[in-house]
Amino acid sequence: MQNITYNKTTYMALAGLFAALIAVGSWISIPLGFTPVPMNLATLAVFLAGGLLGAKYGAVSTAVYAMVGAVGAPVFAGFRGGLSVIAGPTGGYIVGYILAALIVGIIVSRESGIIRVITAMILGLAACYLLGTAWFMISTNTGFAAAMVACVIPFLPGDAIKIIAGAILVKKLRKHI
C-alpha cells in the first residue's frame, strides 16, 4: 500500500470538506418527538473525519463545523445555527464531536485492522455521549435515567450501524486519502 502524505494546505482543505460533510450529515435527520436530540448522520461523518484525517485534522474539521454553526450558519440539525444551539440541550453532543474525532484519530493508524477501527469509533462515541448527555442533564435539569432514555438508548442501534459503516468506509477509503 502506498503511503500518501499531503502538505498542510491539502489537509486544511480536506478538513473543510469534512466539516461540510458533517453539516450535510446533520441535515439528514429524523426528529424524535420525545427528545430534542434528533437522529442524524453527523456522527458517521465525525467517525470518517477522525479515521481518515487523523486526530489533528479530524478534530480541526469538527471544530470548524462547530464554530461555523456557532456564528449562525445553519449547519446543525434542523438547519439551525447560533450560540443558542451550542448552549441548548444538544450543544454537548456538538462539542463532543470534536472529542470523538480526536479519539478516533488517535487510535486509528494507517494499518489499523477493522476491530481497532470499530473500537476507536465506539470509544469516540462513548466520549461524545458522556459529554453530550452530561450537558443535556445540566441544561434541562434532567436526571440520569431520564437522560439515558432520551439521549442514549434509542440511538444505540443506529449508532451501531454507523460504526460498522464508518469502519468499512475508513478501511476502503484510507488508501485514497
Side-chain angles (χ1 to χ4, degrees):
M1 179 166 72
Q2 182 182 3
N3 196 1
I4 301 171
T5 55
Y6 295 117
N7 62 31
K8 188 175 182 178
T9 304
T10 303
Y11 274 113
M12 291 306 292
L14 286 169
L17 179 67
F18 275 88
L21 186 62
I22 296 166
V24 171
S26 291
W27 295 336
I28 302 170
S29 66
I30 301 169
L32 304 174
F34 61 90
T35 179
V37 180
M39 196 173 292
N40 66 41
L41 291 178
T43 48
L44 174 60
V46 168
F47 296 150
L48 294 175
L52 295 172
L53 300 181
K56 180 179 178 181
Y57 291 104
V60 165
S61 69
T62 53
V64 166
Y65 162 76
M67 288 186 285
V68 166
V71 298
V75 297
F76 300 140
F79 296 95
R80 297 181 312 138
L83 283 175
S84 63
V85 178
I86 300 289
T90 61
Y93 297 101
I94 294 167
V95 175
Y97 290 165
I98 301 167
L99 185 57
L102 181 69
I103 290 169
V104 171
I106 288 170
I107 296 171
V108 173
S109 65
R110 199 162 273 288
E111 288 80 29
S112 292
I114 194 82
I115 300 301
R116 185 177 179 105
V117 176
I118 289 171
T119 301
M121 292 178 181
I122 290 169
L123 293 173
L125 181 65
C128 185
Y129 273 151
L130 180 66
L131 190 60
T133 306
W135 180 248
F136 179 86
M137 291 169 59
I138 291 167
S139 67
T140 62
N141 198 25
T142 302
F144 178 75
M148 291 298 288
V149 169
C151 302
V152 177
I153 295 169
F155 298 90
L156 292 175
D159 285 335
I161 293 168
K162 287 183 265 187
I163 286 170
I164 292 166
I168 292 168
L169 286 168
V170 164
K171 291 298 291 172
K172 295 282 186 187
L173 297 174
R174 190 73 187 207
K175 57 187 165 202
H176 301 292
I177 294 184

